[in-house]
Amino acid sequence: DLHFCTQEFHDYLLEKFKWDGLDNNGFPMNGMVHAGAYVNASWNGSIARFGDGDCHNGPLTTLEVVAHEFTHGITGFGPGLIYASESGAINESMSDVFGKTLEHHVDPDNSDWDIGASFLTTQYDESFRSFIDPNSKGHPKFYKGELWNDNGGVHTNSSVGNHFFYNLVNGGQGVNEAGEPYNVVGIGMDKAAQIIFLTLTAYLQSNSDYN
């Protein structure tokens, strides 16, 4: 599974963004399975490690997780977003976004807008994050709004960027938490992904924040 997902992400980057490897100069996507009997995966600057899951979750070698971890590599070679506060939240959001874009690209019939649903194996656990309704997972969807973590939770405040991406792709309308009406016209996954990838590789800096 890891080899398949890594190959798909490598080829996706080449096809969609003309990007070669993690640094655009062929840096390899090295991964290790059986990192432990836990529901987690990580990137340490040179290799991605994937846990085996637990009694409710299978191995984390799915499209969304593999792309998520290797996007941390792209971020590290690119803007080097500091892994704390808002820059850390953007770092996590970038990885979530390209986890979803790869999943949609390779397996659209089974793609969704949650992080963590792809390796669930029983009904007794649930996904980690939601692009559609972050509040349902205890995460914010509005900048410094409801459920915003003032202590700088990178896996919490990342949902602001995720929800933005969902609206950019699909559109949305309503009234936001500031009482302002909005009506966003979606531009689709491919165009939205182009914007976010260009932002990641050409505009963000190490201490960039949402503002």
Side-chain angles (χ1 to χ4, degrees):
D1 291 345
L2 174 59
H3 280 251
F4 170 77
C5 295
T6 300
Q7 168 190 294
E8 292 297 327
F9 189 50
H10 175 273
D11 292 352
Y12 169 77
L13 293 173
L14 274 178
E15 176 187 339
K16 296 294 186 179
F17 313 116
K18 309 302 181 191
W19 192 266
D20 180 15
L22 296 182
D23 62 351
N24 201 25
N25 195 33
F27 190 92
M29 299 178 183
N30 294 317
M32 186 188 80
V33 297
H34 304 307
Y38 51 73
V39 186
N40 208 346
S42 62
W43 168 257
N44 68 4
S46 60
I47 189 170
R49 298 160 54 92
F50 300 89
D52 289 336
D54 61 13
C55 54
H56 302 304
N57 298 271
L60 275 76
T61 49
T62 63
L63 290 163
E64 64 171 352
V65 182
V66 171
H68 176 107
E69 296 307 335
F70 285 130
T71 299
H72 281 310
I74 296 172
T75 301
F77 282 110
L81 286 161
I82 297 168
Y83 200 69
S85 301
E86 289 186 36
S87 58
I90 295 171
N91 189 321
E92 278 297 323
S93 180
M94 290 288 162
S95 284
D96 278 355
V97 161
F98 289 107
K100 288 291 101 179
T101 64
L102 182 68
E103 186 180 79
H104 178 86
H105 174 71
V106 177
D107 192 15
D109 290 341
N110 294 300
S111 182
D112 57 45
W113 285 101
D114 279 8
I115 295 293
S118 62
F119 47 82
L120 277 173
T121 57
T122 77
Q123 61 183 340
Y124 301 107
D125 206 348
E126 61 181 33
S127 59
F128 301 154
R129 295 184 287 282
S130 169
F131 280 61
I132 297 174
D133 182 15
N135 292 169
S136 68
K137 303 293 184 181
H139 300 156
K141 63 180 178 180
F142 191 77
Y143 181 60
K144 295 192 174 179
E146 182 180 354
L147 300 173
W148 177 265
N149 186 341
D150 282 329
N151 294 321
V154 297
H155 288 100
T156 301
N157 295 342
S158 57
S159 286
V160 171
N162 293 356
H163 188 60
F164 157 76
F165 183 74
Y166 173 80
N167 283 311
L168 186 62
V169 173
N170 297 287
Q173 58 185 358
V175 178
N176 67 22
E177 292 177 15
E180 302 162 331
Y182 66 92
N183 186 1
V184 179
V185 177
I187 62 174
M189 184 74 79
D190 283 349
K191 288 182 179 179
Q194 290 288 341
I195 290 171
I196 301 302
F197 194 80
L198 184 65
T199 300
L200 173 63
T201 56
Y203 289 96
L204 290 176
Q205 300 178 17
S206 62
N207 62 347
S208 292
D209 57 17
Y210 278 124
N211 197 36

